[in-house]
Amino acid sequence: MDQKIFPVVSCNPNNFFFNINQNENQDSEFDLLIKEKWEKAQSENLFRYKLDIQQWKLLDGQYKFLTQLNVNRSENRRTPEEITSMSQPFNTERFHFNKISNEEILFDIECGDGNNVIAINISPIERYHCLFIPQRLENLPQIATKKSVENILELIMMSKSKNIRAIFNSLGAFASVNHLHWHLYYLEHRMPLENIVLQNIDGSPVHLLVDFPTKGFCVTFSSLKNKTTNNLTNWVFLIINYLQNNNIAHNVFITRGNTTHSEQNFDDIRVYIWARKHDYGIKNTRAFYPAVCELFGHLSIRNPEDYDSLTEMQVVEIMKDVTEEPFYSVKEKIIEIVQQQLLLENKNVDNI
C-alpha cells in the first residue's frame, strides 16, 4: 500500500534522548504530538469514558505504593478476551486492533500505511494512555517480537519526559487482547523502581530485583558497555524470549530512571521483566488486577470501598503470591543465559 493514510513519525536516532535534564522542562516533538492528538481525541469523545482520577494516595508503609481510584475503567472498559493458553492463536472472530476506527489512530511509525501505529487506549488508566501496535496488519498474537521491543525502546528514547512509561502484558499475564501491542502512558509521580538498588549479574546489564515485593529482573541502559538501542534490545529480548519459549507468563515495564537519585537528571532507562503466575491461576483479588502497572507499584483501584481500606500488607501478599515462586523457578536459568551471553560478547571482542 503506497498511499499514506496517517501522519508519519520516523524513529531517527538523531532525535533520541539518553539523558534528560528536567531543568529544561521541555517536551520533545514526539511528546507534543502524542499530547496534542490525545487531547483532540478526548474532545471528540472517542474514549469509553472521560478520564477523571479525583483520588490518589501513597499507601502507608515501606514501599509507598501509588493507588488511584478509577471506577470508570472497571465499569466501562471493553470486556477482556478470555485467555486460556500462552500459545493461544490470533482469532479474527474476536476483537482485534484491525477493527478500530481510523479516528482512534494518532499517527503511524515510519510508513503511513497503518501497519505500525500509535492509537489511543479508549479505556485509559492515565493521561495520554496510548497503544503501540506494531505489524498491526499481520495479525500477530500477543507474543513480543524482537522488532517490537526495539521499536518501543526507540519510542521511549524519542521522549524528553521523565514521566513516560511503556508496558507489556503477555498472554496469561492480564493481556486483554490477543493482538500484539504495547502500552504507552505518562505517570507524573516519582516511583521507587526508578532508582531502587538492584543486584547485578556478573557485570552484565541484567540485574535482580529482590528488595521489593515483586521479584524480577531489570536491564539497565546505564550498565551497557555499548550504549545503543540495538544492544539494549538484545539484552531485553534475551530474557523475554526465554520466558516465551518456556510458556512462562510475564510482564514488562519500561521507565526512565536515574543513577544518582536526582530529581532533575534522568540518565537511565530501566526495563523490568517479571516471570509471574498465569492470571487464571492466582488468588482472587477484588481490589485490583495484579498486572504490569501494579507489579511496578502503580495500582488502579476499582471501587471506593477497596480504595479506602486497602493496606500495604494486603498488596505485598498479592505481589509475592504472583511473582515470588516464578522468579525463583527461573532465576538460575536466567543467570546462566546471561553468563553465556557475556562469554559470547567477550569472545567477539577478542576476535576483533
Side-chain angles (χ1 to χ4, degrees):
M1 185 183 299
D2 294 325
Q3 183 180 0
K4 287 181 169 51
I5 304 173
F6 306 103
V8 176
V9 171
S10 296
C11 292
N12 187 335
N14 292 330
N15 296 327
F16 292 170
F17 300 93
F18 300 107
N19 194 320
I20 297 174
N21 188 330
Q22 283 304 299
N23 289 328
E24 298 176 3
N25 194 28
Q26 182 178 355
D27 284 331
S28 69
E29 291 183 11
F30 177 75
D31 296 314
L32 291 172
L33 186 61
I34 282 185
K35 293 178 180 183
E36 174 193 343
K37 288 189 170 292
W38 194 93
E39 294 284 4
K40 183 175 183 291
Q42 182 170 248
S43 70
E44 294 174 351
N45 297 315
L46 295 178
F47 296 89
R48 282 181 171 250
Y49 53 84
K50 183 176 177 59
L51 183 68
D52 185 23
I53 298 174
Q54 294 185 343
Q55 290 182 272
W56 69 269
K57 63 184 176 182
L58 300 180
L59 285 186
D60 291 335
Q62 177 181 356
Y63 301 108
K64 305 301 181 186
F65 294 115
L66 171 66
T67 61
Q68 295 178 316
L69 181 61
N70 191 345
V71 177
N72 281 332
R73 179 170 169 82
S74 63
E75 293 180 348
N76 299 313
R77 69 178 299 195
R78 181 187 295 113
T79 302
E81 181 175 345
E82 182 181 359
I83 304 297
T84 58
S85 168
M86 284 283 292
S87 56
Q88 190 162 313
F90 182 93
N91 187 340
T92 57
E93 299 302 314
R94 297 183 177 180
F95 173 79
H96 55 82
F97 295 119
N98 291 325
K99 294 184 177 183
I100 65 176
S101 68
N102 283 354
E103 288 73 22
E104 293 176 40
I105 296 175
L106 304 185
F107 52 86
D108 190 285
I109 304 299
E110 302 295 352
C111 296
D113 61 0
N115 194 35
N116 298 287
V117 299
I118 300 289
I120 60 170
N121 186 320
I122 62 172
S123 302
I125 60 171
E126 255 292 357
R127 286 173 65 81
Y128 314 121
H129 186 175
C130 300
L131 301 173
F132 170 52
I133 314 169
Q135 300 166 271
R136 178 173 72 114
L137 306 178
E138 299 173 34
N139 292 349
L140 300 178
Q142 181 66 347
I143 297 173
T145 63
K146 189 174 184 178
K147 182 62 176 175
S148 77
V149 172
E150 182 175 37
N151 288 156
I152 197 69
L153 288 170
E154 290 174 338
L155 295 178
I156 289 290
M157 291 178 182
M158 289 174 64
S159 170
K160 285 185 71 176
S161 174
K162 63 184 178 183
N163 300 322
I164 196 167
R165 327 284 173 156
I167 60 180
F168 179 88
N169 295 312
S170 82
L171 298 176
F174 286 104
S176 59
V177 179
N178 187 18
H179 190 177
L180 180 57
H181 66 287
W182 292 72
H183 296 254
L184 275 171
Y185 74 108
Y186 292 73
L187 182 65
E188 295 184 359
H189 295 270
R190 303 282 54 86
M191 303 294 288
L193 294 193
E194 291 172 354
N195 50 34
I196 194 171
V197 175
L198 305 165
Q199 290 186 12
N200 183 253
I201 300 177
D202 296 339
S204 74
V206 183
H207 310 258
L208 305 177
L209 173 64
V210 292
D211 295 326
F212 200 70
T214 55
K215 304 292 187 286
F217 307 90
C218 183
V219 184
T220 63
F221 183 79
S222 61
S223 298
L224 292 171
K225 293 179 181 178
N226 179 17
K227 290 180 171 55
T228 64
T229 310
N230 181 258
N231 197 23
L232 181 59
T233 300
N234 289 339
W235 281 102
V236 170
F237 194 69
L238 182 75
I239 299 172
I240 292 176
N241 196 43
Y242 171 79
L243 298 175
Q244 290 180 158
N245 288 340
N246 289 276
N247 295 314
I248 299 169
H250 52 280
N251 301 104
V252 183
F253 197 108
I254 307 173
T255 183
R256 290 282 184 172
N258 55 61
T259 59
T260 61
H261 292 260
S262 168
E263 284 290 326
Q264 284 74 41
N265 193 45
F266 280 66
D267 60 350
D268 204 4
I269 295 171
R270 291 187 168 201
V271 183
Y272 286 96
I273 306 167
W274 290 278
R276 48 88 49 75
K277 284 185 178 179
H278 290 255
D279 56 30
Y280 41 83
I282 64 172
K283 296 177 181 177
N284 181 36
T285 54
R286 190 170 71 98
F288 63 91
Y289 294 118
V292 60
C293 292
E294 288 71 21
L295 300 190
F296 182 71
H298 173 203
L299 282 64
S300 184
I301 309 301
R302 292 184 277 170
N303 63 73
E305 295 78 13
D306 288 313
Y307 177 82
D308 292 334
S309 64
L310 190 66
T311 67
E312 180 183 84
M313 185 177 298
Q314 292 171 314
V315 176
V316 168
E317 180 183 352
I318 292 168
M319 299 308 193
K320 286 186 174 180
D321 178 64
V322 170
T323 65
E324 194 164 72
E325 187 278 330
F327 170 73
Y328 286 112
S329 71
V330 302
K331 174 186 170 185
E332 294 307 317
K333 185 60 182 180
I334 296 293
I335 291 175
E336 179 184 331
I337 64 174
V338 167
Q339 291 170 336
Q340 291 172 350
Q341 183 63 24
L342 280 174
L343 288 173
L344 180 62
E345 286 196 354
N346 292 333
K347 181 179 179 182
N348 290 338
V349 170
D350 291 338
N351 290 335
I352 293 177

